[in-house]
Amino acid sequence: MAIPSPRIAWGGGGAGRKPRVPPLPPARTLLTAFAAAAALAVLCLLSSSSSSSRAASLSGAWRSGAKNGDRYLYWGGRVDCPGKHCGSCAGLGHQESSLRCALEEALFLGRIFVMPSRMCLSSVHNTKGVLQSNANSNQRWEESSCAMESLYDIDLISRTVPVILDNSKTWHEIVSRSMKAEGAVGNVQGISRSELKENALYSTAVIINRTASPLAWFMECKDRKNRSSVMLSYTFLPSMPAKKLRDAANKMKEILGDYDAIHVRRGDLLKNRKDRFGVERSLHPHLDRDTRPEFIKKRIAKWIPPGRTLFIASNERTPGFFSPLADRYRLAYSSNFSSILEPVIENNYQLFMVERLIMQGAKTFVKTMREFDSDLTLCDDPKKNTKVWQKPVYTDD
């Protein structure tokens, strides 16, 4: 049976302007997501009783079901989709930026955010399970995903921004009721969050379906350089890992004791190409040099004294790559804690979230590249892609 069209569809403009329907392909409309949510809800109801109870339970007070007067904000069934990443998958950092942007808008509007129930796993960062020996290296991780609840503590997030998962029975019921009510569902595109809040034409809708920037969701928060407009800090989602990940990190920190940490990002950023004259070029000309052990040792000497325990988080895959640092520091890696991590880690996103908690707990933490003025870094190259290809530098400047 065909699902009826939304009661209203809004485009840019305020009250008094003629509403317009944004030119969205059917696959990107709210209805497709509604149908998927409905199918998932039915599957949950037909599955085991334990699965049913999990699907029916939502976060905190919001898990008891919808209340009269609740309003919802829906951005899509996948992070950055609608958008250019519908057929692919961005890394964890980009997806977190997009999620934070959507959560921030829900907080601003005083709405419950309808969070995608799963997050896709980028093949760049998840070629195979780091701690799982039976992983298939040829598997296309960008077409795979993991449960959002396996990454984040939804209850903890909901203490700041109320959240409901899009595969829940409650969300399915909300959609079913809203589709029967006049003016309950609004499909909006090109509308500022201020207008969504202040204009009664939008603010009274039970569900707002936000079509974000086709580039990525986080582009809706492009004014984040204006610190006064930031409602959720960059550390919000990194501080919200699932409880099992927080517990693992706490056990590791207890064993490490008093320690320092460095994050050495190499693999995915060390991409060179040759220009038309056959000369090697790089977007980060000093990164390869600055993240080698001999240069790391010189760089961090002024911040981390000899004899300290140094936790190293890195995507460098060469065995023993950081061993030259062992003549000055007691080195520690995630691989030293396999008995703690193997029972809980299923993908590299979870592993990095644990490592991120370890790095946050260090006495001194040195990043690869600078994000904030106060950061200690291994490399002075800008983190943001400048799109300027330069000759790599391997000697002292």
Side-chain angles (χ1 to χ4, degrees), residues 318 355 371:
T318 305
E355 290 182 331
E371 295 177 270

Side-chain angles (χ1 to χ4, degrees), residues 39 47 49 56 94 147 237-238 271 279 344 397:
S47 63
S49 58
H94 282 83
L237 283 173
K271 295 180 180 179
V279 178
V344 298
D397 289 340

Side-chain angles (χ1 to χ4, degrees), residues 133-145:
S133 59
N134 61 348
N136 181 357
S137 61
N138 295 321
Q139 182 179 7
R140 291 179 58 84
W141 279 89
E142 66 268 29
E143 295 178 359
S144 300
S145 63

Side-chain angles (χ1 to χ4, degrees), residues 62-342:
W62 306 101
R63 296 194 173 202
S64 60
K67 309 182 189 73
N68 290 333
D70 282 348
R71 298 287 184 267
Y72 300 86
L73 179 65
Y74 181 87
W75 276 41
R78 283 181 56 178
V79 178
D80 289 335
C81 184
K84 71 174 184 178
H85 292 295
C86 286
S88 61
C89 184
L92 177 63
H94 282 83
Q95 291 191 74
E96 280 193 336
S97 293
S98 290
L99 270 181
R100 183 177 64 242
C101 182
L103 286 165
E104 190 172 89
E105 180 165 286
L107 181 63
F108 178 81
L109 297 176
R111 288 178 172 266
I112 301 169
F113 178 61
V114 185
M115 181 178 283
S117 58
R118 302 188 69 81
M119 177 179 281
C120 67
L121 300 171
S122 170
S123 61
V124 175
H125 305 284
N126 288 278
T127 302
K128 59 182 178 178
V130 169
L131 300 172
Q132 305 296 326
S133 59
N134 61 348
N136 181 357
S137 61
N138 295 321
Q139 182 179 7
R140 291 179 58 84
W141 279 89
E142 66 268 29
E143 295 178 359
S144 300
S145 63
C146 64
M148 197 68 76
E149 288 179 300
S150 72
L151 297 175
Y152 301 103
D153 188 329
I154 305 301
D155 287 334
L156 196 57
I157 292 175
S158 292
R159 294 179 187 177
T160 303
V161 185
V163 166
I164 186 173
L165 295 175
D166 69 357
N167 69 341
S168 65
K169 179 182 177 182
T170 301
W171 173 236
H172 171 59
E173 292 172 347
I174 293 164
V175 170
S176 298
R177 290 198 303 268
S178 298
M179 294 305 296
K180 300 174 185 178
E182 186 71 29
V185 180
N187 183 23
V188 303
Q189 183 177 21
I191 305 294
S192 70
R193 62 175 58 172
S194 296
E195 187 169 0
L196 288 177
K197 183 175 184 177
E198 297 168 3
N199 193 324
L201 180 63
Y202 313 125
S203 62
T204 56
V206 175
I207 300 172
I208 284 183
N209 172 36
R210 155 73 85 180
T211 300
S213 168
L215 298 176
W217 285 5
F218 61 77
M219 292 300 292
E220 296 292 337
C221 293
K222 56 189 175 183
D223 191 36
R224 290 188 65 85
K225 291 184 179 180
N226 176 10
R227 298 300 178 188
S228 63
S229 70
V230 177
M231 299 179 68
L232 293 177
S233 72
Y234 288 88
T235 60
F236 178 71
L237 283 173
S239 64
M240 300 287 164
K243 186 178 184 301
K244 67 176 183 178
L245 302 182
R246 299 200 309 272
D247 289 345
N250 288 335
K251 291 176 183 178
M252 292 169 63
K253 287 192 284 186
E254 185 175 349
I255 295 172
L256 286 168
D258 184 22
Y259 66 97
D260 304 301
I262 59 175
H263 179 217
V264 189
R265 186 175 175 183
R266 284 177 54 82
D268 62 313
L269 290 184
L270 297 181
K271 295 180 180 179
N272 291 0
R273 74 179 186 187
K274 292 183 178 180
D275 62 20
R276 60 194 180 95
F277 301 107
V279 178
E280 289 282 339
R281 299 282 181 173
S282 173
L283 290 173
H284 306 284
H286 300 89
L287 181 64
D288 191 10
R289 181 200 67 179
D290 292 346
T291 54
R292 292 179 179 271
E294 58 272 26
F295 282 89
I296 292 176
K297 189 183 299 186
K298 290 188 289 185
R299 179 80 168 188
I300 68 175
K302 54 189 173 184
W303 303 315
I304 304 176
R308 295 279 296 169
T309 296
L310 182 65
F311 179 82
I312 301 176
S314 178
N315 59 355
E316 172 58 53
R317 301 189 180 214
T318 305
F321 183 82
F322 297 105
S323 296
L325 293 172
D327 65 353
R328 184 170 296 183
Y329 304 105
R330 295 192 297 270
L331 305 184
Y333 310 88
S334 293
S335 56
N336 300 133
F337 302 91
S338 58
S339 61
I340 295 174
L341 294 175
E342 282 183 354

